[in-house]
Amino acid sequence: MKGLNALFEAAQASPTPLPVATSVFWAHHGTRLAGGDVTYLNRYVLVRVGPAFGACAFEEGELDPSVCAEASGLPLGELLAEDRPLPLRLAALDALLAAELPHHRDPRAEAVSLPEGTPERRAVARDAAIAGLLPDPRGRRVGLIGVVNPLVAAIRERGGECLPCDLNLRRTQWGDEVGSSMEEVLDEADAIVATGMTLGNGTFDTILERCRERDVPLVVYAQSGAAVARAFLGEGVTALSAEPFPFSQFSAVPTALYRYRSDGVGAGS
């Protein structure tokens, strides 16, 4: 499998009829963690297929609430069509793959329980779990494509030099400059950590191909397209932190994320 388009094509070419999207909805929320000066604005389109949810973050203006009425109840094949917005297509594909194999039933998955508590406590635990998927980062330059401050801190706490890149954020909580172009990061980093949102904004294939070419580890942390990213495990993706909906920021009680490694080490607990 070469990239995301191949995965879409395989789903659309399925010999069995695709299920119906039971519901399509979206969530829009803002978060400012204690001690920070950045308000994260997140927009998600979500597709439910039976017991499974698929999700994809999107930028302002890409979708509007009318998608909920227009797409709910349609056959999934219609939502995967090329003329649909990429975030909607990605959420539909994510739902399909999650319905076929839920994360909690995947024998490769290591369930990690995020603790009860404040958004800050849960974010620190989540990002420590993500950073723990990196090969020993001490002395390594770790490219972070899609910046959240607790993950920057987690990479540094493990001895890595963080090279942050983000389409919207210009500085980290500590004043570090955040690049807007990922090309330099992809050329210089010894390892890459990328958000699942790269699946929905069309940059994932470039990241995947560059990491394959340079033979550098690629760790994906995904609320967007968690099951889609899983399909590339061992095909360029070294490790994955999959956080299917409902996401950790929507709860104050213990919830699970699922860690995967392409070599299977540490999985199955």
Side-chain angles (χ1 to χ4, degrees):
M1 177 174 27
K2 292 198 173 179
L4 191 55
N5 282 340
L7 206 57
F8 277 121
E9 290 169 2
Q12 291 169 299
S14 172
T16 59
L18 296 179
V20 166
T22 309
S23 59
V24 175
F25 57 105
W26 77 345
H28 184 189
H29 71 100
T31 300
R32 178 173 290 200
L33 299 176
D37 59 0
V38 175
T39 300
Y40 300 99
L41 297 177
N42 301 108
R43 307 164 189 86
Y44 299 94
V45 60
L46 301 114
V47 176
R48 183 166 190 174
V49 174
F53 292 90
C56 186
F58 61 91
E59 297 289 350
E60 184 176 7
E62 283 190 279
L63 294 170
D64 64 59
S66 64
V67 70
C68 303
E70 293 169 356
S72 294
L74 290 180
L76 210 59
E78 293 190 30
L79 303 190
L80 294 171
E82 289 186 16
D83 60 350
R84 297 284 184 174
L86 181 55
L88 179 60
R89 297 180 72 209
L90 199 286
L93 180 61
D94 191 38
L96 176 65
L97 297 178
E100 292 175 348
L101 180 57
H103 293 283
H104 65 275
R105 293 181 182 168
D106 192 324
R108 300 169 295 175
E110 172 198 6
V112 176
S113 180
L114 300 180
E116 177 180 355
T118 64
E120 292 78 20
R121 184 181 185 216
R122 288 169 60 76
V124 167
R126 179 198 63 200
D127 293 338
I130 296 167
L133 289 169
L134 281 164
D136 187 356
R138 285 176 293 182
R140 292 191 182 203
R141 295 166 297 176
V142 179
L144 179 58
I145 301 176
V147 175
V148 288
N149 285 312
L151 188 48
V152 175
I155 290 169
R156 287 174 172 167
E157 285 169 6
R158 297 196 66 215
E161 176 190 351
C162 187
L163 306 179
C165 173
D166 196 280
L167 289 175
N168 299 308
L169 193 66
R170 295 282 67 86
R171 291 196 176 273
T172 70
Q173 179 179 335
W174 304 275
D176 310 281
E177 185 175 349
V178 176
S180 59
S181 172
M182 66 181 185
E183 297 301 330
E184 187 173 325
V185 169
L186 290 173
D187 286 342
E188 294 184 359
D190 303 309
I192 295 290
V193 181
T195 175
M197 191 172 178
T198 58
L199 289 157
N201 67 17
T203 60
F204 178 76
D205 279 0
T206 298
I207 296 168
L208 186 71
E209 186 59 32
R210 194 73 185 106
C211 288
R212 286 170 174 166
E213 288 174 354
R214 296 189 57 228
D215 193 26
V216 299
L218 171 59
V219 176
V220 179
Y221 67 103
Q223 292 182 338
S224 295
V228 176
R230 181 180 61 183
F232 294 94
L233 198 66
E235 298 283 344
V237 171
T238 309
L240 165 67
S241 173
E243 193 179 332
F245 184 82
F247 308 136
S248 60
Q249 63 264 40
F250 297 145
S251 178
V253 300
T255 56
L257 60 79
Y258 301 91
R259 300 201 306 181
Y260 297 84
R261 296 174 174 84
S262 59
D263 60 10
V265 175
S269 64

